[in-house]
Amino acid sequence: MARKKVLVTGGAGFIGGNFVQYMVNKYPDYDIYNLDLLTYAGDLTKHKEIEKKDNYHFVKADIADRDAITALFEKEQFDYVTHFAAESHVDRSITDPEIFVVTNVLGTQVLLDASKAIGVTKFVHVSTDEVYGELDFDPTTFFTEDTPLQPNSPYSASKASSDMLVRAYHETFGLPINITRCSNNYGPYHFPEKLIPLTISRVLNDQKIPVYGDGKNIRDWLHVLDHCAAIDLVLHEGANGEVYNVGGHNERTNLEVVKTIISTLGKSEELIEFVTDRLGHDKRYAIDPTKLEALGWKPTYTFESGIAQTIQWYLDNKEWWEQIISGEYQNYFEKQYTL
Ligand code: NAD
Ligand code: TDX
């Protein structure tokens, strides 16, 4: 049987990077192509181990570059596309929304056209629970796949737009697709602009932790490796055209998350500094994953085991995140906060 070719867009980033490693190791008989523009969020140093393997390939390209993407698809004739590449940070979408439309909307449409042209077996679009908007604090309410899309930030609006295009290419052209909508991920290689790695790296450096508003906003946390297993399952077993929510019932307030990290590292809660709230800050996200569970998925990490593993990973891999926080990111952080 011919080897399958799997394109992973955004495979130099956090989740796509974990997914590339997961797929290269799990499927030696698949060729895994990591396509990434290497923006501020992409780095290849994380792939030192898998770079030695024959079934790993890297292509530097912009998903919004129609000529480059069309030529690549014609040449490689991918069987599967798993689409992670995006501008992913809500705060950056508030200060500079335009690139979110270019990458997340136009980039997705270019990939859909290229996938349609060569007739891929499956296009998996990795989306987010943020497209559903926000929930109130009633703990019995959850996002289901039928919750209407009501995105509140430029980031989530761009993701919802791309979800709509993916759906439309299925309805209009019969492109085989799935859309996954996952809750907040955390784990190894999480870029330190996001709450959990930002807190770990700053606590380790005895720096203040900026907590937005009153810290009572709730996120539903999922370890990135449980997300990778979910995408793998949907890629192979997802019913054509369906949406699957991904989440493990791990709701925590931001303050609970920050305090857990501080106490695990044996530091003082005096490091917490309440700062001006994020504009349009969604109150609560919480996922009902029943539909995905029916396919056979269940998470392997609890929040307690996952956060302990993650903190240990940041302790063991200082070199990786120190190189990031000392670069261009430093300018971003200084513009973002005055701590
Ligand atoms: P990330 O910001 O860590 O990585 C994004 C990657 O995409 C980077 O490697 C970057 O270089 C690449 N990229 C950006 N623009 C590109 C372009 N024009 N062409 C090619 N590559 C480009 O993001 P992440 O947190 O790993 O998120 C991955 C996907 O998962 C995104 O689509 C995001 O919306 C979705 N998602 C993220 C979370 C989360 O908690 N992080 C939760 C649910 C869904
Ligand atoms: O410094 C901070 N202080 C703070 O209180 C930062 C960076 C965040 N926060 C709050 C805002 C959120 O309520 O913590 C929560 C988590 O923030 P982020 O880590 O920025 O994640 P979020 O905005 O929830 O979005 C993430 O999950 C869904 C990803 O970045 C998205 O790509 C994904 O779609």
Side-chain angles (χ1 to χ4, degrees), residues 10 12-16 35-42 61-64 83-88 103 126-128 155 159 182-185 190-191 194 227:
F14 163 45
I15 308 175
L35 182 157
D36 200 291
L37 182 59
L38 302 180
T39 68
Y40 80 92
D62 183 345
I63 55 167
H83 176 33
F84 296 80
E87 287 294 333
S88 69
T103 296
V126 180
S127 190
T128 169
Y155 162 71
K159 291 295 290 186
C182 190
S183 59
N184 283 59
N185 282 217
H190 202 181
F191 195 87
K194 311 279 169 52
H227 188 191

Side-chain angles (χ1 to χ4, degrees), residues 92-249:
R92 289 183 191 250
S93 83
I94 294 168
T95 50
D96 185 12
E98 189 168 334
I99 186 67
F100 284 73
V101 178
V102 175
T103 296
N104 299 359
V105 186
L106 181 62
T108 300
Q109 195 254 330
V110 166
L111 290 169
L112 288 167
D113 274 343
S115 300
K116 169 173 156 278
I118 66 163
V120 299
T121 307
K122 174 73 74 70
F123 184 105
V124 177
H125 178 61
V126 180
S127 190
T128 169
D129 58 0
E130 297 197 18
V131 298
Y132 297 123
E134 65 175 357
L135 295 164
D136 63 23
F137 291 111
D138 171 359
T140 63
T141 56
F142 299 96
F143 294 135
T144 73
E145 290 79 1
D146 297 325
T147 302
L149 303 194
Q150 286 189 312
N152 291 321
S153 70
Y155 162 71
S156 53
S158 70
K159 291 295 290 186
S161 307
S162 61
D163 287 21
M164 290 301 191
L165 281 167
V166 175
R167 180 180 183 280
Y169 272 64
H170 175 69
E171 295 295 328
T172 303
F173 304 115
L175 187 74
I177 63 107
N178 287 119
I179 297 172
T180 59
R181 298 193 177 125
C182 190
S183 59
N184 283 59
N185 282 217
Y186 67 99
Y189 300 115
H190 202 181
F191 195 87
E193 67 189 346
K194 311 279 169 52
L195 180 69
I196 287 182
L198 178 141
T199 302
I200 298 171
S201 57
R202 290 185 68 84
V203 169
L204 285 173
N205 284 333
D206 293 307
Q207 292 166 315
K208 294 277 189 190
I209 315 305
V211 172
Y212 299 164
D214 59 10
K216 292 191 178 142
N217 300 58
I218 290 174
R219 296 293 181 264
D220 185 359
W221 294 96
L222 187 74
H223 193 280
V224 64
L225 292 179
D226 285 327
H227 188 191
C228 291
I231 304 285
D232 179 18
L233 182 65
V234 169
L235 178 67
H236 292 97
E237 309 284 343
N240 187 11
E242 293 297 312
V243 176
Y244 293 94
N245 282 351
V246 190
H249 289 297

Side-chain angles (χ1 to χ4, degrees), residues 24-92:
V24 164
N25 291 323
K26 180 166 175 188
Y27 296 106
D29 53 341
Y30 284 10
D31 279 306
I32 309 299
Y33 289 76
N34 168 12
L35 182 157
D36 200 291
L37 182 59
L38 302 180
T39 68
Y40 80 92
D43 96 291
L44 292 177
T45 62
K46 56 171 70 91
H47 292 324
K48 274 193 205 106
E49 283 306 310
I50 58 165
E51 268 164 10
K52 298 174 202 150
K53 303 209 173 190
D54 291 341
N55 66 334
Y56 171 75
H57 313 270
F58 175 69
V59 182
K60 184 174 179 198
D62 183 345
I63 55 167
D65 180 343
R66 187 171 294 276
D67 291 345
I69 296 299
T70 307
L72 178 72
F73 274 63
E74 275 171 10
K75 175 168 172 256
E76 299 296 350
Q77 298 289 317
F78 300 114
D79 297 287
Y80 297 122
V81 177
T82 52
H83 176 33
F84 296 80
E87 287 294 333
S88 69
H89 193 34
V90 174
D91 291 326
R92 289 183 191 250

